[in-house]
Amino acid sequence: MPDLKLLLADLAAEGDSVDALVVPLAPGRWADPTPAEGWTIAHQIAHLAWTDAQASVAATDAAAFAGIVEEALADPGGYVEAGAREGAREEPARLLARWREGRRRMVDALAAVPPGTRLPWFGPPMSAASMATARLMETWAHGEDVADALGERRAPTSRLRHVAHIGVRTRDFAFRNRGLEPPAEEFRVVLRGPDGDEWAWGPPDARQSVTGPALDFCHAVTQRRHRAGLDLTATGPDADRWLDVAQAFAGPPGTGRGPSRG
């Protein structure tokens, strides 16, 4: 079982990493386009602020969150887009302040969740640790979009292990999300962390596997880079197919990024 306190510290640190990208920007730079079609830097931060706020409600008021889900079901894609679009209209300093306060409130709310509690979400209910992992994954992924927009590259950290973990755990979801039957057998996933250590999932004797740098795997499962530009090796036809459909985030199948971004 993951240590929730350490996981929340990593979640806070990931938010701070993205914060550091945008805090020096002049207001006009918040309108810079990012690789996500139609989304500026402001949209990216507004989306994170919006989703962090939903996570706080899920952790503190299940009845209120049920109302949010009911509203979202009327227009799932549009509901999320509306949150980003509305927030992107805010003055950048105000948006940044709101996101910072929301991050703090979310971490505090997750820390207070009683052990064993399952939190409601737009998909299946999850533990506080799983919620924190999902929020870290999304914060990192949208941070990559912001960094790309600014022409920067963030140094990978050990926090990528959380992103990789959710990428492995969502294997079957990724197949079903494309209308495909998930493979019956487990895969072995062996990744090289930023510090050179080995991170592994699945049985050592699995016939199919994926290996490579953790950063590349995380870019694949969050669809932030095209597979053609990643140093990942798939052994076995199902593992190879997985790298084409991998998706660690909820929602309909993503369109990914073109080979030119590899």
Side-chain angles (χ1 to χ4, degrees):
M1 180 178 295
D3 185 316
L4 181 59
K5 184 176 181 180
L6 294 177
L7 183 51
L8 290 174
D10 279 350
L11 173 57
E14 193 60 43
D16 290 343
S17 173
V18 181
D19 193 307
L21 288 172
V22 298
V23 69
L25 297 181
R29 295 296 307 276
W30 285 67
D32 286 4
T34 68
E37 186 176 356
W39 276 30
T40 64
I41 290 174
H43 284 84
Q44 299 283 351
I45 300 304
H47 174 69
L48 289 176
W50 180 88
T51 316
D52 289 348
Q54 311 313 306
S56 292
V57 175
T60 59
D61 191 338
F65 189 77
I68 292 173
V69 171
E70 185 175 351
E71 186 178 350
L73 287 175
D75 183 14
Y79 191 71
V80 174
E81 287 284 341
R85 187 169 56 250
E86 181 179 347
R89 297 192 187 105
E90 287 186 71
E91 192 271 326
R94 181 177 178 183
L95 171 58
L96 181 57
R98 181 167 65 85
W99 179 45
R100 286 174 172 170
E101 174 58 22
R103 280 155 42 203
R104 183 200 61 75
R105 189 163 49 246
M106 174 184 61
V107 168
D108 289 347
L110 291 175
V113 172
T117 302
R118 305 294 290 180
L119 303 178
W121 196 238
F122 298 103
M126 64 180 79
S127 67
S130 293
M131 180 75 80
T133 303
R135 296 308 310 131
L136 193 156
M137 176 273 296
E138 192 171 18
T139 301
W140 177 80
H142 287 282
E144 290 296 275
D145 289 341
V146 173
D148 283 347
L150 298 174
E152 298 189 18
R153 287 291 180 267
R154 295 185 296 165
T157 73
S158 61
R159 297 191 296 273
L160 285 180
R161 187 162 192 158
H162 303 301
V163 181
H165 179 72
I166 200 170
V168 172
R169 292 291 299 273
T170 52
R171 185 201 73 166
D172 289 1
F173 160 76
F175 277 95
R176 292 193 181 100
N177 208 31
R178 302 271 182 164
L180 303 172
E181 185 67 24
E185 61 184 290
E186 292 186 68
F187 298 163
R188 178 71 166 174
V189 178
V190 180
L191 306 175
R192 186 172 64 257
D195 298 324
D197 49 338
E198 182 178 282
W199 303 343
W201 294 263
D205 60 349
R207 293 183 301 173
Q208 301 196 63
S209 64
V210 171
T211 60
L215 178 62
D216 286 21
F217 182 77
C218 292
H219 277 141
V221 299
T222 59
Q223 299 184 4
R224 260 51 190 184
R225 297 287 186 275
H226 191 276
R227 180 183 175 182
L230 301 175
D231 185 21
L232 296 173
T233 299
T235 300
D238 293 329
D240 184 73
R241 179 61 172 152
W242 181 34
L243 291 182
D244 289 331
V245 302
Q247 179 176 331
F249 51 90
T255 58
R257 304 283 156 79
S260 63
R261 297 207 62 82

mmCIF file of all heavy atoms in Angstrom, residues 164-186:
data_model
loop_
_atom_site.group_PDB
_atom_site.id
_atom_site.type_symbol
_atom_site.label_atom_id
_atom_site.label_comp_id
_atom_site.label_asym_id
_atom_site.label_seq_id
_atom_site.Cartn_x
_atom_site.Cartn_y
_atom_site.Cartn_z
ATOM 1 N N ALA A 164 4.210 6.301 -14.332
ATOM 2 C CA ALA A 164 4.408 4.996 -14.957
ATOM 3 C C ALA A 164 3.485 3.950 -14.345
ATOM 4 O O ALA A 164 2.918 3.103 -15.050
ATOM 5 C CB ALA A 164 5.866 4.568 -14.806
ATOM 6 N N HIS A 165 3.307 4.013 -13.032
ATOM 7 C CA HIS A 165 2.462 3.035 -12.348
ATOM 8 C C HIS A 165 1.023 3.100 -12.853
ATOM 9 O O HIS A 165 0.420 2.062 -13.173
ATOM 10 C CB HIS A 165 2.496 3.284 -10.839
ATOM 11 C CG HIS A 165 1.642 2.344 -10.048
ATOM 12 N ND1 HIS A 165 1.972 1.013 -9.871
ATOM 13 C CD2 HIS A 165 0.448 2.527 -9.408
ATOM 14 C CE1 HIS A 165 1.038 0.424 -9.149
ATOM 15 N NE2 HIS A 165 0.100 1.315 -8.855
ATOM 16 N N ILE A 166 0.492 4.306 -12.954
ATOM 17 C CA ILE A 166 -0.887 4.415 -13.440
ATOM 18 C C ILE A 166 -0.960 4.032 -14.920
ATOM 19 O O ILE A 166 -1.960 3.484 -15.387
ATOM 20 C CB ILE A 166 -1.454 5.826 -13.172
ATOM 21 C CG1 ILE A 166 -2.975 5.796 -13.210
ATOM 22 C CG2 ILE A 166 -0.926 6.863 -14.145
ATOM 23 C CD1 ILE A 166 -3.621 7.071 -12.717
ATOM 24 N N GLY A 167 0.123 4.257 -15.668
ATOM 25 C CA GLY A 167 0.161 3.824 -17.062
ATOM 26 C C GLY A 167 0.085 2.318 -17.187
ATOM 27 O O GLY A 167 -0.598 1.779 -18.071
ATOM 28 N N VAL A 168 0.771 1.597 -16.299
ATOM 29 C CA VAL A 168 0.714 0.134 -16.291
ATOM 30 C C VAL A 168 -0.665 -0.345 -15.859
ATOM 31 O O VAL A 168 -1.252 -1.245 -16.467
ATOM 32 C CB VAL A 168 1.802 -0.437 -15.356
ATOM 33 C CG1 VAL A 168 1.631 -1.949 -15.188
ATOM 34 C CG2 VAL A 168 3.202 -0.133 -15.890
ATOM 35 N N ARG A 169 -1.200 0.278 -14.817
ATOM 36 C CA ARG A 169 -2.473 -0.172 -14.258
ATOM 37 C C ARG A 169 -3.650 0.065 -15.206
ATOM 38 O O ARG A 169 -4.686 -0.591 -15.071
ATOM 39 C CB ARG A 169 -2.735 0.553 -12.931
ATOM 40 C CG ARG A 169 -1.791 0.173 -11.804
ATOM 41 C CD ARG A 169 -2.035 -1.249 -11.331
ATOM 42 N NE ARG A 169 -3.380 -1.420 -10.811
ATOM 43 C CZ ARG A 169 -3.739 -1.178 -9.564
ATOM 44 N NH1 ARG A 169 -2.848 -0.727 -8.694
ATOM 45 N NH2 ARG A 169 -4.980 -1.378 -9.166
ATOM 46 N N THR A 170 -3.515 0.989 -16.131
ATOM 47 C CA THR A 170 -4.617 1.303 -17.046
ATOM 48 C C THR A 170 -4.508 0.554 -18.379
ATOM 49 O O THR A 170 -5.209 0.890 -19.332
ATOM 50 C CB THR A 170 -4.676 2.818 -17.328
ATOM 51 O OG1 THR A 170 -3.375 3.263 -17.759
ATOM 52 C CG2 THR A 170 -5.092 3.596 -16.091
ATOM 53 N N ARG A 171 -3.671 -0.476 -18.431
ATOM 54 C CA ARG A 171 -3.498 -1.215 -19.682
ATOM 55 C C ARG A 171 -4.830 -1.731 -20.230
ATOM 56 O O ARG A 171 -5.179 -1.487 -21.394
ATOM 57 C CB ARG A 171 -2.544 -2.395 -19.478
ATOM 58 C CG ARG A 171 -2.212 -3.145 -20.777
ATOM 59 C CD ARG A 171 -1.710 -4.548 -20.527
ATOM 60 N NE ARG A 171 -2.766 -5.458 -20.098
ATOM 61 C CZ ARG A 171 -2.640 -6.796 -20.067
ATOM 62 N NH1 ARG A 171 -1.490 -7.351 -20.407
ATOM 63 N NH2 ARG A 171 -3.647 -7.557 -19.668
ATOM 64 N N ASP A 172 -5.595 -2.453 -19.410
ATOM 65 C CA ASP A 172 -6.841 -3.032 -19.900
ATOM 66 C C ASP A 172 -7.856 -1.956 -20.269
ATOM 67 O O ASP A 172 -8.597 -2.095 -21.253
ATOM 68 C CB ASP A 172 -7.428 -3.978 -18.853
ATOM 69 C CG ASP A 172 -6.618 -5.265 -18.711
ATOM 70 O OD1 ASP A 172 -5.593 -5.413 -19.415
ATOM 71 O OD2 ASP A 172 -7.007 -6.121 -17.889
ATOM 72 N N PHE A 173 -7.893 -0.879 -19.484
ATOM 73 C CA PHE A 173 -8.783 0.245 -19.812
ATOM 74 C C PHE A 173 -8.472 0.783 -21.200
ATOM 75 O O PHE A 173 -9.382 1.084 -21.984
ATOM 76 C CB PHE A 173 -8.634 1.348 -18.766
ATOM 77 C CG PHE A 173 -9.115 2.698 -19.241
ATOM 78 C CD1 PHE A 173 -10.466 2.978 -19.311
ATOM 79 C CD2 PHE A 173 -8.204 3.671 -19.630
ATOM 80 C CE1 PHE A 173 -10.908 4.226 -19.765
ATOM 81 C CE2 PHE A 173 -8.633 4.910 -20.081
ATOM 82 C CZ PHE A 173 -9.994 5.184 -20.155
ATOM 83 N N ALA A 174 -7.185 0.926 -21.510
ATOM 84 C CA ALA A 174 -6.792 1.489 -22.804
ATOM 85 C C ALA A 174 -7.306 0.636 -23.955
ATOM 86 O O ALA A 174 -7.776 1.160 -24.976
ATOM 87 C CB ALA A 174 -5.273 1.636 -22.872
ATOM 88 N N PHE A 175 -7.225 -0.683 -23.810
ATOM 89 C CA PHE A 175 -7.736 -1.564 -24.863
ATOM 90 C C PHE A 175 -9.259 -1.438 -24.976
ATOM 91 O O PHE A 175 -9.803 -1.276 -26.074
ATOM 92 C CB PHE A 175 -7.341 -3.016 -24.577
ATOM 93 C CG PHE A 175 -5.948 -3.372 -25.021
ATOM 94 C CD1 PHE A 175 -4.878 -3.309 -24.146
ATOM 95 C CD2 PHE A 175 -5.705 -3.778 -26.328
ATOM 96 C CE1 PHE A 175 -3.602 -3.639 -24.548
ATOM 97 C CE2 PHE A 175 -4.423 -4.112 -26.751
ATOM 98 C CZ PHE A 175 -3.369 -4.043 -25.862
ATOM 99 N N ARG A 176 -9.948 -1.527 -23.843
ATOM 100 C CA ARG A 176 -11.418 -1.464 -23.881
ATOM 101 C C ARG A 176 -11.890 -0.114 -24.393
ATOM 102 O O ARG A 176 -12.938 -0.019 -25.055
ATOM 103 C CB ARG A 176 -11.980 -1.716 -22.480
ATOM 104 C CG ARG A 176 -11.778 -3.135 -21.973
ATOM 105 C CD ARG A 176 -12.611 -3.411 -20.739
ATOM 106 N NE ARG A 176 -12.393 -4.764 -20.245
ATOM 107 C CZ ARG A 176 -11.593 -5.064 -19.223
ATOM 108 N NH1 ARG A 176 -10.944 -4.092 -18.583
ATOM 109 N NH2 ARG A 176 -11.441 -6.314 -18.843
ATOM 110 N N ASN A 177 -11.145 0.930 -24.095
ATOM 111 C CA ASN A 177 -11.527 2.271 -24.519
ATOM 112 C C ASN A 177 -11.505 2.414 -26.035
ATOM 113 O O ASN A 177 -12.141 3.311 -26.589
ATOM 114 C CB ASN A 177 -10.571 3.292 -23.876
ATOM 115 C CG ASN A 177 -11.193 4.646 -23.676
ATOM 116 O OD1 ASN A 177 -12.399 4.765 -23.466
ATOM 117 N ND2 ASN A 177 -10.387 5.690 -23.706
ATOM 118 N N ARG A 178 -10.784 1.518 -26.686
ATOM 119 C CA ARG A 178 -10.720 1.499 -28.157
ATOM 120 C C ARG A 178 -11.613 0.412 -28.750
ATOM 121 O O ARG A 178 -11.527 0.123 -29.951
ATOM 122 C CB ARG A 178 -9.276 1.258 -28.599
ATOM 123 C CG ARG A 178 -8.280 2.276 -28.085
ATOM 124 C CD ARG A 178 -8.150 3.443 -29.007
ATOM 125 N NE ARG A 178 -7.163 4.394 -28.516
ATOM 126 C CZ ARG A 178 -6.620 5.352 -29.254
ATOM 127 N NH1 ARG A 178 -6.966 5.465 -30.521
ATOM 128 N NH2 ARG A 178 -5.746 6.198 -28.739
ATOM 129 N N GLY A 179 -12.417 -0.226 -27.893
ATOM 130 C CA GLY A 179 -13.268 -1.301 -28.382
ATOM 131 C C GLY A 179 -12.525 -2.587 -28.617
ATOM 132 O O GLY A 179 -12.993 -3.448 -29.386
ATOM 133 N N LEU A 180 -11.391 -2.767 -27.969
ATOM 134 C CA LEU A 180 -10.551 -3.953 -28.140
ATOM 135 C C LEU A 180 -10.591 -4.816 -26.883
ATOM 136 O O LEU A 180 -10.713 -4.309 -25.769
ATOM 137 C CB LEU A 180 -9.102 -3.546 -28.423
ATOM 138 C CG LEU A 180 -8.872 -2.637 -29.634
ATOM 139 C CD1 LEU A 180 -7.430 -2.153 -29.663
ATOM 140 C CD2 LEU A 180 -9.217 -3.376 -30.922
ATOM 141 N N GLU A 181 -10.460 -6.127 -27.062
ATOM 142 C CA GLU A 181 -10.411 -7.041 -25.932
ATOM 143 C C GLU A 181 -9.010 -6.999 -25.318
ATOM 144 O O GLU A 181 -8.010 -7.174 -26.013
ATOM 145 C CB GLU A 181 -10.712 -8.471 -26.389
ATOM 146 C CG GLU A 181 -10.797 -9.483 -25.269
ATOM 147 C CD GLU A 181 -11.973 -9.257 -24.354
ATOM 148 O OE1 GLU A 181 -12.973 -8.632 -24.792
ATOM 149 O OE2 GLU A 181 -11.903 -9.698 -23.193
ATOM 150 N N PRO A 182 -8.915 -6.756 -24.018
ATOM 151 C CA PRO A 182 -7.590 -6.717 -23.386
ATOM 152 C C PRO A 182 -6.910 -8.079 -23.455
ATOM 153 O O PRO A 182 -7.583 -9.119 -23.423
ATOM 154 C CB PRO A 182 -7.898 -6.342 -21.926
ATOM 155 C CG PRO A 182 -9.246 -5.717 -21.971
ATOM 156 C CD PRO A 182 -9.985 -6.404 -23.073
ATOM 157 N N PRO A 183 -5.602 -8.106 -23.566
ATOM 158 C CA PRO A 183 -4.877 -9.378 -23.570
ATOM 159 C C PRO A 183 -5.145 -10.158 -22.288
ATOM 160 O O PRO A 183 -5.303 -9.581 -21.206
ATOM 161 C CB PRO A 183 -3.410 -8.949 -23.661
ATOM 162 C CG PRO A 183 -3.449 -7.576 -24.249
ATOM 163 C CD PRO A 183 -4.704 -6.951 -23.735
ATOM 164 N N ALA A 184 -5.187 -11.482 -22.405
ATOM 165 C CA ALA A 184 -5.465 -12.323 -21.243
ATOM 166 C C ALA A 184 -4.248 -12.413 -20.326
ATOM 167 O O ALA A 184 -4.391 -12.553 -19.107
ATOM 168 C CB ALA A 184 -5.881 -13.715 -21.708
ATOM 169 N N GLU A 185 -3.062 -12.351 -20.883
ATOM 170 C CA GLU A 185 -1.851 -12.530 -20.083
ATOM 171 C C GLU A 185 -1.262 -11.200 -19.624
ATOM 172 O O GLU A 185 -1.450 -10.162 -20.263
ATOM 173 C CB GLU A 185 -0.797 -13.297 -20.888
ATOM 174 C CG GLU A 185 -0.355 -12.604 -22.154
ATOM 175 C CD GLU A 185 0.616 -13.448 -22.967
ATOM 176 O OE1 GLU A 185 1.758 -13.619 -22.523
ATOM 177 O OE2 GLU A 185 0.207 -13.923 -24.062
ATOM 178 N N GLU A 186 -0.573 -11.253 -18.499
ATOM 179 C CA GLU A 186 0.099 -10.073 -17.997
ATOM 180 C C GLU A 186 1.354 -9.773 -18.806
ATOM 181 O O GLU A 186 1.947 -10.674 -19.406
ATOM 182 C CB GLU A 186 0.490 -10.265 -16.526
ATOM 183 C CG GLU A 186 -0.670 -10.328 -15.572
ATOM 184 C CD GLU A 186 -0.197 -10.366 -14.132
ATOM 185 O OE1 GLU A 186 0.353 -9.351 -13.651
ATOM 186 O OE2 GLU A 186 -0.373 -11.414 -13.487
#
